[in-house]
Amino acid sequence: MRRIPDLVDVWFDSGAMPWAQWHAPFENQDKFLANVPADFIAEGVDQTRGWFYTLHAIAALVDDRVAYKNVVVNGLVLDAEGQKMSKSVGNTVDPFATIEEHGADAVRWTMMSASPPWENLKYSDKAVLDTRRKLFGTLVNTYSFLATYAALDGYVYDADNAVPTEDRTELDRWILSRLQSTIAESTEALDAYHPTRAARAVEAFVDDLSNWYLRRSRRRFWEGLKGGKVEGLKGNENGLPDDGLSLCTLPPSNPSTSAFDTLHECLVAVATLMAPIAPFTAEWLFGMLTDGGESVHLELWPTVDAARLDADLEGRMALARAVVTATLALRNEASINVRQPLQSVTVVAGPGGVDESALRSVEAIILDEVNVKRLDVASGGVVSKTAKPNFKALGRRLGPQMKAATAAVRDLTPEQVEAFEAAGEITLDLDGSAVTLSAGDLDVVSEGVEGRPVRQETATLPDGTAQVVTVALDTNLDDALRAEGVAREFVSRVQALRKEAGFAVQDRIALTFEAPPAAAAALTAHAETIRAETLATTFEARLDADAEATAEADLGGGPVAVAVRRA
């Protein structure tokens, strides 16, 4: 080796990279000029004085221009406690071992979604495991669900004959609108070099797709079964379903259904949206869903279909989900299982509450989701509202008037508090001077009356505004409700037993049971529903000696024995 005598600084060598990569100006000058300045560069914050500077310095000296338009600075990767990784401390993480254990996509997505790349990142295996479960596991399960029922139903996606958007159900149109919103948000974020916002937008959509759309649509896929049989999903070395159930190799389809078309279109779009950050998973998902698509990385970036964008529908569904969240929380507080039907739930509407017409438009979804018979709307009577000062917000502003303000707020009537919520402000007389308090100055507390527990939840609307939803739940049970609850719980136990016994989802069964008189009466009263839900051809109050699987459970009132066999 010998030293080059005219060396100025090693960083100036790296700063000449834009020319060097094309061997310009000695050749490829046209390619060089077509690619400068760069749209962006990305490196660690320690490159600021070195590469970031010398790229610009040489470009300015030689061509009187800048070298790049944007720089995405990478922060440091810290340990889970926020300490800088150091071999001497022993808190380093081997990136190759981590990728070997979790996969490159899960590691990369975790780092991109946790915080913007220019901020320091606390790395932990737990965060990667959460990403694998919540995002990648959810995606695999969602695809597996579609593939399983598509194979059973003989479905193959046909873009030319897909169900028109206007003919699809409201739930389908909602998730397709959410998809358009996600495409818009992801595109805007990536164009602005904010990969974290783009990643989080995709995460939120996948959660909506799985935990709301698919869960709410399961019966629609189930009811389309024709009684065929499909073998269980197999997995490849990466834990992903193999090509045995690829949708591009399924048998000729029946006419497309709204649910199948919608779920298929959403998953293809998700594969495209996540491709920049999770290229391997995106490639697998795209390949399993499409026939003829060479690679997801050769696809055009999706654009928003304005005809499928429906902000009003997204707002109403956000309202429904807020009511559901509040109601389920009230059930949990009262220790009432969601399989136990209840008589009514009341939502506050009108001034300070939700819009009743919007609420009624999603009434069926709410009632089905929370297992309640009736949705009531009230402007008052079930909720008593009081207010208390936000001392942090008001203390510095009001000073010596704070004591008088506290007394005045305490004396506000429920009607005055509701008027404050509706108007967003209220004027109080404090020692002879008028003081106007606005939203944020007062905290409103809702309490149930007539023995009904009350809870508030906030619905975030598509325009970013927040809608406070107040819900009161009737937790009283009569004999009819209890009997229906026993039947629903019985169905759940039978389904679990079917799964434990290895039955296929479409297998018909012979179902028998033994139960105390009260539970037996409840099951007999709901026999038709039980047969339909469990695919039972027979349902008898005796234990089958030839049963393939048996179990015992206490549904309330004593042990209930259940036995199943394939019919």
Side-chain angles (χ1 to χ4, degrees), residues 200-464:
R200 290 176 180 176
V202 173
E203 286 179 348
F205 178 76
V206 170
D207 181 70
D208 285 350
L209 181 66
S210 173
N211 294 326
W212 188 256
Y213 173 77
L214 186 57
R215 191 165 54 79
R216 296 284 315 141
S217 302
R218 282 181 181 274
R219 186 176 296 275
R220 297 165 60 202
F221 291 93
W222 173 260
E223 288 175 347
L225 294 182
K226 298 177 299 178
K229 185 172 182 179
V230 62
E231 298 300 325
L233 285 171
K234 301 176 182 179
N236 61 20
E237 66 275 10
N238 297 317
L240 303 175
D242 65 15
D243 287 335
L245 277 178
S246 173
L247 293 188
C248 55
T249 59
L250 292 175
S253 69
N254 293 322
S256 299
T257 66
S258 177
F260 277 117
D261 285 348
T262 300
L263 184 55
H264 184 277
E265 290 163 8
C266 287
L267 285 175
V268 171
V270 166
T272 310
L273 290 171
M274 71 188 310
I277 303 177
F280 302 114
T281 303
E283 186 79 322
W284 164 78
L285 183 59
F286 182 81
M288 296 294 281
L289 290 165
T290 61
D291 183 14
E294 186 174 356
S295 169
V296 69
H297 305 294
L298 297 178
E299 291 293 301
L300 293 176
W301 185 255
T303 57
V304 174
D305 184 348
R308 285 183 161 181
L309 196 58
D310 189 338
D312 178 65
L313 177 55
E314 288 191 49
R316 288 187 283 116
M317 200 64 74
L319 172 63
R321 298 186 72 178
V323 173
V324 167
T325 299
T327 306
L328 294 179
L330 290 172
R331 274 182 166 275
N332 187 56
E333 292 172 4
S335 299
I336 299 177
N337 191 297
V338 75
R339 284 188 285 273
Q340 172 59 62
L342 293 175
Q343 191 60 46
S344 68
V345 60
T346 302
V347 180
V348 177
V354 303
D355 179 74
E356 182 173 358
S357 61
L359 183 66
R360 291 299 183 190
S361 70
V362 290
E363 177 179 1
I365 291 174
I366 293 171
L367 293 178
D368 185 59
E369 189 68 17
V370 301
N371 193 17
V372 174
K373 300 292 186 182
R374 188 179 73 248
L375 174 65
D376 296 330
V377 175
S379 57
V382 296
V383 178
S384 175
K385 294 189 176 183
T386 58
K388 58 182 180 179
N390 183 335
F391 291 96
K392 186 176 180 180
L394 290 176
R396 183 176 300 179
R397 177 153 64 92
L398 295 184
Q401 292 180 301
M402 193 64 215
K403 183 176 181 180
T406 301
V409 171
R410 185 181 60 241
D411 292 338
L412 291 176
T413 66
E415 292 74 22
Q416 288 175 309
V417 175
E418 290 184 3
F420 163 74
E421 282 191 306
E425 64 179 23
I426 189 170
T427 300
L428 302 178
D429 183 0
L430 304 182
D431 298 328
S433 61
V435 176
T436 298
L437 305 182
S438 56
D441 292 334
L442 299 181
D443 294 325
V444 177
V445 179
S446 297
E447 297 178 349
V449 298
E450 300 177 357
R452 294 189 180 188
V454 169
R455 189 178 180 91
Q456 287 186 320
E457 197 69 34
T458 300
T460 302
L461 304 181
D463 61 2

Side-chain angles (χ1 to χ4, degrees), residues 15-184:
M17 179 275 297
W19 287 269
Q21 69 173 337
W22 300 109
H23 199 223
F26 308 105
E27 59 180 321
N28 299 321
Q29 183 70 358
D30 55 339
K31 292 182 179 180
F32 165 71
L33 293 174
N35 286 278
V36 293
D39 289 323
F40 77 98
I41 61 170
E43 251 296 353
V45 68
D46 56 330
Q47 302 289 331
T48 303
R49 186 187 63 81
W51 193 44
F52 297 169
Y53 165 69
T54 55
L55 280 169
H56 275 333
I58 295 177
L61 287 167
V62 177
D63 285 340
D64 194 25
R65 61 169 176 81
V66 296
Y68 51 87
K69 301 174 185 177
N70 300 277
V71 56
V72 181
V73 182
N74 299 329
L76 299 176
V77 180
L78 310 175
D79 69 12
E81 305 302 321
Q83 301 299 316
K84 185 176 180 180
M85 290 188 184
S86 171
K87 289 183 180 178
S88 61
V89 176
N91 63 344
T92 59
V93 175
D94 184 340
F96 298 103
T98 300
I99 290 173
E100 180 69 23
E101 179 180 357
H102 300 298
D105 281 357
V107 176
R108 180 170 24 239
W109 194 281
T110 301
M111 298 178 74
M112 279 290 122
S113 63
S115 63
W118 47 87
E119 295 181 2
N120 293 340
L121 171 72
K122 293 181 182 180
Y123 175 84
S124 71
D125 279 334
K126 180 181 181 301
V128 182
L129 288 171
D130 285 344
T131 299
R132 287 174 57 183
R133 176 176 58 86
K134 293 179 180 179
L135 178 64
F136 294 97
T138 297
L139 271 177
V140 171
N141 290 338
T142 302
Y143 166 75
S144 298
F145 177 91
L146 175 61
T148 298
Y149 283 93
L152 287 169
D153 201 64
Y155 168 85
V156 173
Y157 180 72
D158 182 355
D160 294 331
N161 294 298
V163 178
T165 301
E166 61 272 16
D167 293 337
R168 302 194 191 190
T169 69
E170 190 170 63
L171 195 61
D172 293 335
R173 297 198 306 275
W174 167 74
I175 196 63
L176 291 173
S177 181
R178 277 286 295 118
L179 176 60
Q180 308 315 307
S181 300
T182 303
I183 291 172

